[in-house]
Amino acid sequence: MATEASGTELVQVVALLTAGVVAVPIFRRAGLGSILGYLAAGLVIGPFGLAIFSEPEAILHVAELGVVMFLFIIGLEMQPSRLWGLRKEIFGLGALQVGFCAFLLTLVGVIGGFPWSVSFVAGAGFVLTSTAVVMQVLEERGEVSSPRGQQMISILLLEDLAIVPLLALVAFLAPGGEEMTLSQRLTDVAVGLAAIAALIVAGRYLLNPLFRILASSGAREVMTAAALLVVLGSALVMQSSGLSMAMGAFLAGVLLSESTFRHQLEADVEPFRGILLGLFFMAVGMSLDLSVIASNWQTVVIYVIAYMVMKAVGIYAVARFLRSSHADATERAVIMAQGGEFAFVLYAAATAVGIIDGEANAILTAIIIVSMVLTPFAIILLRTFMPKEEQTLDGVEVADGLNGSVLIIGFGRFGQIASQPLLLRGIDVSIIDNDVEMIQAAADFGFKVYYGDGTRLDILHAAGAGRARAVLICVDKAEAAIRIAENMREEFPLVPVLARAYDRGAAIGLMDAGVGYQIRETFESALIFGGETIGKLGASDEEVAAVIEDVRRRDAERLELQIAGGIQAGRSLMKGNIPEPTPTPLATPRRAGQAMNEGAADALGSKAIRRD
């Protein structure tokens, strides 16, 4: 029996991994995102698909640890000073959005004919946005550290804090809940505050010494176990005190954000976070009760649409009230319009105290899950119909009628350094770039940069390329650099052109386009770096200079061969770190060789013929 049970569990584990490995790449290739892939995979292997799993609630409970670890990693990126800088967004923007949206969603339930207590619980649960969905979207788009991403994270943190007073309100609204004494309520608050204080003290005075001792032991697996212990232990402390597990993990991350072991902790937790977060979305897909949706499909459809639309309206209104742009407000409204995983906790608590019954809990849970499933589709529609954000040219001058002796196209790190010898020499320099933010930042450092796309012929004319004594192509994209060089060759063939090359392929392309001088952006710095290294290892200055000169000669010869024979030509000129085979020396023969016949003797010029 034990063997059969073990075999069944192994089948389930294999099914989980297979579903995720197959579904996620397919959905990402189709442009639908990994979240929808995990949800679909969970639905397929769940009770209403292949029925490999019959109790998704147990998996969902374990998979919530993925959200916990996600917030721990976010906390590691949030130094206390940075978190303090977001206090207005957390307690201002976050509180305003939660309060206003809770009012609107409660109003939806009351209009639908439900008691106001039930309407409030249902609406308040939907207000709690899915941290897992939003954070996954921000991470995939690389916007976790962007201003709009930081605002969404601030709102999510406030919602994590809001679960505490919401659970207290559920207890108060329950039949008999009003009988809870003031001392009991104060005790609960005191326990929560004591847990937060204990976690802060432990994080400040115990965690760094603990990790220092463990690091000195040299046992990598112990460090990984300690990282998991910190995350799960913090979550357990907060949960035991009636607070959010995710909030405990986030607070632990913040306390360790300035630790010397921060990067090690992040590397240790990251693999578990990714697997458990994927498992969470699959468990949500398994939990989608299709029988409840089928029997109450009208209610589910109406309230999914009503709740998502009303919540989006509330988010948009708050964002615009606080002077966010139309694009930012719309994007935030779409991304955060769904319900979240903390709603399951709130609805379970409301069911336990009798505010809602089991059927209502199942319907509300289905509404939350469907809203999470619809979010990736809503984001795709947003990208399809939302016009691309155009750069504003406020305070930026467009290149027109420039007449500098030297024209610099592109003013990033490379262009800024390249401009210094010219400016120190007193040469009149005109500069153009197509990055408005960079242009505005350059003005703060005393540079006049004009807006212009150097790949366009009309801009080259307006920027004075035909009147310049030299044109410097300093853009970072290889395709753009080659395009500019080709335009210069065709339109202004007498003007000297010098270009920055991204790599060898770009260098060859620029040479084909006729530039007078090109340099690979990392070549000189890498040569100096390598030369300094062999100098530190004991080589004399003369030896370093000889080696560097040899590298230059080999590189130049290889580049010439590549121009004629392609990028793979001249490989023998590049020294690799794979040992080359060396022929084994021949052993000295024990006796002199002798010719075996007259023909051999004639060839060897020998008269001796061996007779055996």
Side-chain angles (χ1 to χ4, degrees):
M1 295 294 291
T3 303
E4 292 179 2
S6 176
T8 302
E9 292 174 358
L10 184 58
V11 168
Q12 292 179 334
V13 172
V14 171
L16 271 176
L17 296 175
T18 303
V21 167
V22 171
V24 172
I26 293 175
F27 275 73
R28 293 202 67 170
R29 184 174 290 273
L32 300 176
S34 59
I35 297 175
L36 203 55
Y38 282 122
L39 292 171
L43 184 61
V44 169
I45 63 177
F48 300 95
L50 300 177
I52 297 175
F53 293 88
S54 57
E55 296 181 358
E57 294 81 7
I59 297 177
L60 184 62
H61 184 68
V62 175
E64 286 177 357
L65 296 177
V67 181
V68 169
M69 292 185 179
F70 207 156
L71 282 178
F72 175 74
I73 292 176
I74 295 301
L76 287 175
E77 302 296 329
M78 289 277 190
Q79 288 83 4
S81 58
R82 186 177 178 186
L83 191 62
W84 177 252
L86 290 174
R87 64 190 183 280
K88 293 182 179 179
E89 283 79 6
I90 296 174
F91 297 103
L93 171 61
L96 187 58
Q97 177 172 309
V98 169
F100 187 57
C101 289
F103 168 75
L104 292 178
L105 296 180
T106 301
L107 194 61
V108 170
V110 172
I111 293 174
F114 293 96
W116 73 270
S117 58
V118 175
S119 301
F120 173 77
V121 169
F126 203 91
V127 164
L128 303 177
T129 308
S130 174
T131 301
V133 170
V134 174
M135 292 305 302
Q136 187 77 359
V137 169
L138 292 177
E139 186 178 48
E140 289 182 355
R141 297 170 63 172
E143 295 183 354
V144 172
S145 300
S146 67
R148 64 181 66 180
Q150 293 290 290
Q151 287 182 333
M152 292 186 199
I153 291 173
S154 300
I155 296 168
L156 293 174
L157 293 176
L158 191 281
E159 290 177 351
D160 288 343
L161 289 171
I163 190 66
V164 180
L166 287 176
L167 289 173
L169 279 173
V170 165
F172 180 80
L173 295 173
E178 298 84 347
E179 299 175 3
M180 187 176 187
T181 63
L182 178 62
S183 62
Q184 290 175 313
R185 294 176 187 168
L186 292 177
T187 301
D188 290 342
V189 173
V191 169
L193 293 175
I196 294 175
L199 198 58
I200 292 175
V201 171
R204 190 171 183 83
Y205 298 106
L206 299 180
L207 291 184
N208 266 323
L210 170 64
F211 282 108
R212 196 172 295 113
I213 294 172
L214 295 177
S216 63
S217 70
R220 175 65 186 271
E221 67 279 4
V222 175
M223 287 288 288
T224 302
L228 293 175
L229 176 62
V230 168
V231 179
L232 301 181
S234 303
L236 179 62
V237 169
M238 287 296 166
Q239 185 185 44
S240 301
S241 60
L243 300 175
S244 162
M245 288 195 303
M247 179 53 62
F250 175 79
L251 188 56
V254 171
L255 294 173
L256 287 169
S257 61
E258 296 181 340
S259 168
T260 55
F261 303 99
R262 187 187 79 179
H263 299 293
Q264 179 68 44
L265 290 169
E266 187 172 355
D268 288 337
V269 171
E270 178 66 26
F272 300 97
R273 190 274 302 175
I275 293 173
L276 288 174
L277 195 61
L279 186 60
F280 169 80
F281 288 119
M282 292 178 71
V284 170
M286 294 180 207
S287 303
L288 189 59
D289 194 332
L290 297 183
S291 62
V292 171
I293 295 177
S295 57
N296 301 275
W297 69 269
Q298 292 179 323
T299 301
V300 172
V301 169
I302 290 173
Y303 278 93
V304 165
I305 295 174
Y307 276 163
M308 291 188 73
V309 170
M310 192 60 75
K311 184 178 180 182
V313 169
I315 294 172
Y316 180 86
V318 170
R320 294 293 284 167
F321 177 74
L322 295 179
R323 299 180 180 178
S324 292
S325 67
H326 169 70
D328 285 351
T330 303
E331 184 178 52
R332 189 187 309 164
V334 171
I335 293 177
M336 305 189 75
Q338 84 288 143
E341 52 274 3
F342 289 128
F344 304 147
V345 178
L346 190 68
Y347 294 157
T351 303
V353 298
I355 296 179
I356 59 176
D357 56 22
E359 182 180 3
N361 186 7
I363 294 173
L364 289 171
T365 300
I367 290 172
I368 294 291
I369 295 174
V370 171
S371 72
M372 293 170 69
V373 171
L374 291 177
T375 298
F377 291 107
I379 294 173
I380 293 173
L381 289 175
L382 174 68
R383 294 175 182 172
T384 302
F385 294 104
M386 193 74 176
K388 292 184 178 180
E389 189 174 352
E390 297 182 356
Q391 289 183 318
T392 175
L393 299 181
D394 292 343
V396 175
E397 292 186 38
V398 177
D400 187 18
L402 306 184
N403 54 9
S405 297
V406 174
L407 172 63
I408 296 179
I409 305 173
F411 202 61
R413 295 171 299 164
F414 190 94
Q416 292 166 21
I417 297 173
S419 70
Q420 291 303 289
L422 304 173
L423 294 172
L424 288 172
R425 184 73 174 174
I427 297 173
D428 185 16
V429 175
S430 298
I431 308 170
I432 64 171
D433 201 293
N434 59 357
D435 186 338
V436 173
E437 292 184 2
M438 193 287 306
I439 294 173
Q440 294 169 340
D444 296 334
F445 291 90
F447 291 97
K448 181 65 176 180
V449 182
Y450 295 88
Y451 180 83
D453 183 356
T455 61
R456 292 171 47 183
L457 274 176
D458 59 331
I459 297 297
L460 290 177
H461 279 283
R467 298 182 294 275
R469 294 168 57 192
V471 171
L472 278 57
I473 304 174
C474 300
V475 297
D476 55 359
K477 294 182 180 178
E479 299 82 1
I482 295 173
R483 177 73 178 278
I484 295 170
E486 291 172 344
N487 287 341
M488 288 296 302
R489 179 184 61 187
E490 295 172 3
E491 197 74 9
F492 313 108
L494 300 181
V495 177
V497 177
L498 299 86
R500 161 199 187 179
Y502 176 75
D503 54 15
R504 298 186 75 85
I508 295 171
L510 288 167
M511 294 171 72
D512 291 339
V515 300
Y517 176 81
Q518 56 74 33
I519 184 170
R520 301 195 299 282
E521 58 187 32
T522 59
F523 183 69
E524 290 296 332
S525 59
L527 278 182
I528 295 173
F529 190 82
E532 287 293 326
T533 302
I534 61 175
K536 295 292 184 183
L537 296 177
S540 65
D541 292 344
E542 292 77 11
E543 291 172 329
V544 170
V547 170
I548 295 301
E549 182 58 33
D550 188 32
V551 174
R552 289 184 188 279
R553 178 186 60 79
R554 288 168 172 264
D555 182 81
E557 291 180 10
R558 181 175 167 227
L559 193 60
E560 289 181 4
L561 291 173
Q562 287 175 321
I563 293 173
I567 199 69
Q568 293 296 328
R571 292 184 61 180
S572 61
L573 292 167
M574 192 171 187
K575 183 68 175 177
N577 65 346
I578 299 177
E580 298 178 358
T582 304
T584 304
L586 296 174
T588 304
R590 295 181 180 179
R591 61 181 181 179
Q594 291 180 327
M596 302 296 292
N597 52 56
E598 293 183 0
D602 291 341
L604 294 174
S606 173
K607 298 296 183 180
I609 300 176
R610 182 178 175 182
R611 306 290 183 182
D612 288 332

